Every structure is written in C-alpha cells, then in structure tokens.
C-alpha cells in the first residue's frame, strides 16, 4: 500500500472517529450561541452556509468577522501544487469546541462557527474558516486572531505539501501546546 | 499463574502524520498485561519502531488527553493512545 493510500485509509478511520465524537457530545452544546456542527470535515467548506449561520435576526451583534485560510502555491519546501491535511479528528473536534467556549467567554461572541477541512486540497481551496459575531467590531477582530492562534497551537492537524517537483513533504510544525 | 493465563488488556495505538510513515500503519491494537503503564507502552512502541526516536517533540495522548510519556499511570482496557508529532494546522 502506498503512503497516499495509507492516508486515505486513515481518513476513513478518522471520519468514523469524528462521528463518534459528535455522537458523544453532551447537552452543554445547547449553551453555545451556535448550534453544534462538524468542525472537521473532508467536504468543501460552503462560505454561503457559513455567512447564513452568522445572520442575527435579534440584532445582538454589530460586527461579523470571517477568516478564510486557503491553500497557497508556495510553502516551507518550495512550490506547492496541492496540500494534504490529516487530523486526529476526535480530539480536534473537542479542542476546537473548547476554543469556541473560551473565545465566547473572553470576547462576548454571540455566534461562532469554526470548520477545518482535511484531505487533499487544491490551490485556492478553503482549508479553515473562522466566523464569529460580536456586539462590537474590535472584539470580533481580536477574537478571530485569538482563535486562529489557538488552532495553530492546540488542534491536532497536520499538513503535507504536495510539491510541483513531484515529492511530498510534511510541514514541520510546533509541538502541541498543553494547557 | 503462567504468562499465558495472565489477564490482558487491549489498547488501541494511533500514529499520525510522519509517525505513521515510520510505522507503516495508522493504528494497531496492542494486547498488554494489566499492569502496563504509559511509560511501559512507550518503551514497547519505541522498541518495535526505533525510528520514532528520530522524531522530536512527540506528545502522547490517552483518550484525547495529553499525558507525560514517563507517566507511571496504568493503562486500562480499551484505552486509546495516540502519538502526536508537532502540529501544522490552521
């Protein structure tokens, strides 16, 4: 079995794990401003759905900020033609959920949605979105930066650059931060 | 009691990113004696896959909680142990 085949098999396993994780979520989800959702996905991230989820008909929010991370054509190891993302989905879902809770408390977020895509992504594809709304814009921008930093520090996701010259190399990241 | 009749536990071990390129497998079930600690298991894994030693800053998780790789805590049946190399998401 090739390395890539092995990774595809891995994703099947991870998606199963992710489902288990979602099934085991407790009622604390109902305390969050946004409804519980899949935070790690192999599917394309639909920005229109994300925008729709930020609509606040009660008018509690005065600002919505959306960060979209995309696959670029250069990386740590040279010219990139696509990117492969892998995750420990069960743990990643829990970590992102915890980051949401911390950010909600810290910045008074009224609505929030975080999704990270895994699998093989083409150049320009959306790899991660962070969408949130707050009463004031200053808090929304701060919260978005805070969340992105926490994702990079704490969420078990890895990326591999598929290079134009033909080889594939994992991006050397940072040791996962313990709390 | 002979070693053949000693009670055993089954632990799932997960390998991620460049670690599974070293082990050539993403996961495996290990059958261990009931008094196996986290430290013991890591020792078993490193004996089986010595090249893992070349990967720096690996974190160990038990049931999604990061633990000390030298921990004397005893593993339980059906625990899930994951080896996490440095991350690069976002």
């Amino acid at each position: 079995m090739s390395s890539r085949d092995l990774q595809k098999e891995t994703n099947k396993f991870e998606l199963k794990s992710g489902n288990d994780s979602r099934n085991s979520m407790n009622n604390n989800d109902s305390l969050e401003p946004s409804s519980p959702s899949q935070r790690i996905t192999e599917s394309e991230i639909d920005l229109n759905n994300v925008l729709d989820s930020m609509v606040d008909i009660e008018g509690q929010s005065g600002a919505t900020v959306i960060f979209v991370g995309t696959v670029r054509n250069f990386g740590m190891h040279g010219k990139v033609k696509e990117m492969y993302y892998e995750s420990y989905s069960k743990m990643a879902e829990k970590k992102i959920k915890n980051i949401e809770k911390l950010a909600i408390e810290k910045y008074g977020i009224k609505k929030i949605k975080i999704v990270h895509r895994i699998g093989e992504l083409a150049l320009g594809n959306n790899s991660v979105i962070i969408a949130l709304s707050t009463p004031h814009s200053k808090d929304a921008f701060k919260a978005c930066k805070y969340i992105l930093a926490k994702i990079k520090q704490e969420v078990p996701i890895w990326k591999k650059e598929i290079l134009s010259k033909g080889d594939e190399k994992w991006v050397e990241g940072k040791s996962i931060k313990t709390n | 009691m002979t070693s053949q009749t000693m009670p055993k536990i089954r632990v799932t071990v997960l390998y991620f990113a460049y670690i599974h390129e070293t082990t050539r497998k993403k996961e495996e079930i290990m059958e261990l004696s009931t008094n196996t600690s986290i430290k013991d298991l890591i020792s078993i894994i490193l004996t089986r896959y010595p090249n893992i030693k070349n990967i720096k800053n690996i974190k160990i998780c038990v049931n999604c909680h990061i633990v000390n790789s030298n921990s004397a805590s005893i593993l339980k049946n059906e625990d899930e142990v994951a080896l996490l190399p440095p991350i690069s998401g976002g």
Side-chain angles (χ1 to χ4, degrees), chain B residues 21-65:
Chain B
E21 292 190 350
T22 296
T23 60
R24 304 301 300 164
K25 63 180 70 168
K26 182 63 190 186
E27 66 167 304
E28 64 185 318
I29 308 283
M30 287 194 180
E31 202 165 75
L32 307 165
S33 60
T34 51
N35 60 349
T36 302
S37 68
I38 292 167
K39 184 181 180 181
D40 294 334
L41 175 61
I42 299 307
S43 177
I44 292 167
I45 291 169
L46 292 180
T47 302
R48 191 174 292 186
Y49 309 107
N51 287 339
I52 291 179
K53 291 174 188 169
N54 298 328
I55 301 172
K56 294 176 181 173
N57 297 317
I58 294 175
K59 296 287 186 188
I60 309 301
C61 281
V62 177
N63 302 326
C64 293
H65 296 286

Side-chain angles (χ1 to χ4, degrees), chain A residues 10 86 88 157 160 174, chain B residues 17 20-21 26 80 87-88:
Chain A
T10 294
E86 179 178 308
Y88 181 10
I157 296 173
K160 179 193 255 185
K174 294 179 180 174
Chain B
H20 72 62
E21 292 190 350
K26 182 63 190 186
E80 183 176 272
I87 55 174
S88 52

Side-chain angles (χ1 to χ4, degrees), chain B residues 60-74:
Chain B
I60 309 301
C61 281
V62 177
N63 302 326
C64 293
H65 296 286
I66 294 172
V67 298
N68 190 317
S69 59
N70 287 318
S71 171
S73 296
I74 303 300

Side-chain angles (χ1 to χ4, degrees), chain A:
Chain A
M1 185 183 284
S2 71
S3 170
R4 296 288 287 282
D5 289 340
L6 185 65
Q7 286 159 11
K8 284 176 181 172
E9 289 301 309
T10 294
N11 287 338
K12 289 177 193 169
F13 166 75
E14 286 170 358
L15 286 173
K16 185 167 172 280
S17 298
N19 287 334
D20 290 343
S21 172
R22 289 192 302 284
N23 290 339
S24 67
M25 282 181 181
N26 59 32
N27 290 332
N28 288 338
D29 280 326
S30 62
L31 300 174
E32 295 176 1
S34 60
S35 59
S37 60
Q38 191 174 0
R39 295 165 177 93
I40 303 294
T41 181
E42 275 208 345
S43 305
E44 193 172 331
I45 301 171
D46 187 332
L47 287 178
N48 288 325
N49 282 347
V50 174
L51 282 168
D52 287 346
S53 72
M54 291 296 111
V55 173
D56 179 4
I57 58 170
E58 293 174 3
Q60 294 183 87
S61 304
T64 296
V65 165
I66 300 179
F67 169 82
V68 183
T70 55
V71 178
R72 66 171 177 242
N73 65 3
F74 67 94
M76 181 178 278
H77 302 289
K79 197 172 178 187
V80 169
K81 65 176 182 181
E82 64 182 278
M83 195 74 82
Y84 174 79
Y85 287 88
E86 179 178 308
S87 77
Y88 181 10
S89 296
K90 184 160 62 175
M91 183 174 174
E93 290 271 352
K94 289 179 180 178
K95 284 285 185 183
I96 293 175
K97 187 177 167 189
N98 187 54
I99 291 169
E100 289 174 6
K101 284 183 178 175
L102 291 172
I104 287 167
E105 289 170 12
K106 191 173 172 72
Y107 296 101
I109 292 168
K110 300 300 178 190
K111 286 183 176 291
I112 186 165
K113 191 171 186 67
I114 302 172
V115 183
H116 203 303
R117 190 175 169 193
I118 57 169
E120 293 174 3
L121 275 69
L123 297 180
N125 278 179
N126 301 329
S127 56
V128 58
I129 66 101
I130 301 166
L132 57 91
S133 66
T134 60
H136 303 287
S137 60
K138 191 176 174 183
D139 288 328
F141 284 115
K142 280 185 181 175
C144 193
K145 286 185 74 171
Y146 168 83
I147 290 166
L148 182 60
K150 296 281 271 183
I151 289 172
K152 288 175 180 284
Q153 291 168 349
E154 299 178 11
V155 181
I157 296 173
W158 300 268
K159 62 185 170 191
K160 179 193 255 185
E161 294 172 353
I162 315 301
L163 300 165
S164 297
K165 57 186 179 184
D167 51 349
E168 305 176 358
K169 290 188 176 174
W170 289 98
V171 173
E172 294 165 21
K174 294 179 180 174
S175 184
I176 194 165
K177 193 173 177 184
T178 53
N179 294 314

